[in-house]
Amino acid sequence: MPTRFDLDLMQPPTPQAAVDAALLQRLRTWCEAGAPPPLAQPLAAACIASAEGLDGAACALDGSHALARLGRWQGLAWRLRILLGDLAPGHGARPGHPWDCGWWRAGALAAAAAFRPRRATLLLLRPADQAASAELLATLQAQSPAYTRPLRVLLVAGQPLPGVPRLP
């Protein structure tokens, strides 16, 4: 059985009802690029200038908003379908399926080294110093050949970071 959401590495986004549809579409498009089976791109990183709207978009991307609209039994059935899909070998990420989304727990490099995505995952990094971001990305990159699910890392940074493209 897949493990639960990795609380050692990340904390869930703050629940928000408001979703910037354009931001959500940009995130989904970027996250899903290279993610469908077979997994062509296990790890990708990008920068974004502002954290504004990221919690709402992450809640939509992780399925929290969809789950809130379903009744108890429909929600349970939906979760079960997702779980069964996650058990399929070479799953990668299917378009429109929920992603695990969360903010990195700063300093959790040991958790990053041990991390194996249970499903497609978006890891968000709050504005931090470039050294910590670089060290985290290097740690994840070293582990990424073992990933069977995609990991996308989005750094919130006012200035572009060397070697990390801006989110399109």
Side-chain angles (χ1 to χ4, degrees):
M1 295 292 288
T3 57
R4 298 183 65 77
F5 184 88
D6 192 332
L7 290 172
D8 291 334
L9 178 69
M10 56 190 176
Q11 60 191 47
T14 302
Q16 293 188 354
V19 177
D20 178 333
L23 175 60
L24 175 60
Q25 186 56 46
R26 286 178 33 225
L27 276 178
R28 186 176 299 282
T29 298
W30 174 71
C31 285
E32 290 179 353
L39 185 58
Q41 191 176 20
L43 175 66
C47 291
I48 192 166
S50 170
E52 187 175 334
L54 284 178
D55 281 302
C59 287
L61 189 61
D62 75 9
S64 296
H65 291 159
L67 189 59
R69 288 189 299 270
L70 297 173
R72 179 178 177 177
W73 297 111
Q74 287 178 315
L76 183 60
W78 184 68
R79 285 181 175 182
L80 185 57
R81 283 193 307 272
I82 292 167
L83 176 61
L84 292 174
D86 286 347
L87 293 175
H91 175 267
R94 292 191 167 82
H97 275 222
W99 285 57
D100 277 350
C101 298
W103 292 95
W104 181 50
R105 292 186 182 280
L109 289 173
F115 180 69
R116 299 295 179 273
R118 69 176 184 150
R119 72 170 46 108
T121 301
L122 172 62
L123 179 61
L124 304 164
L125 276 75
R126 291 186 170 89
D129 67 1
Q130 291 184 14
S133 299
E135 192 172 2
L136 173 65
L137 288 174
T139 300
L140 295 171
Q141 185 65 45
Q143 301 304 315
S144 68
Y147 296 168
T148 58
R149 308 294 194 277
L151 173 62
R152 302 297 180 250
V153 180
L154 186 61
L155 299 96
V156 177
Q159 299 297 318
L161 298 177
V164 181
R166 281 278 188 205
L167 183 70

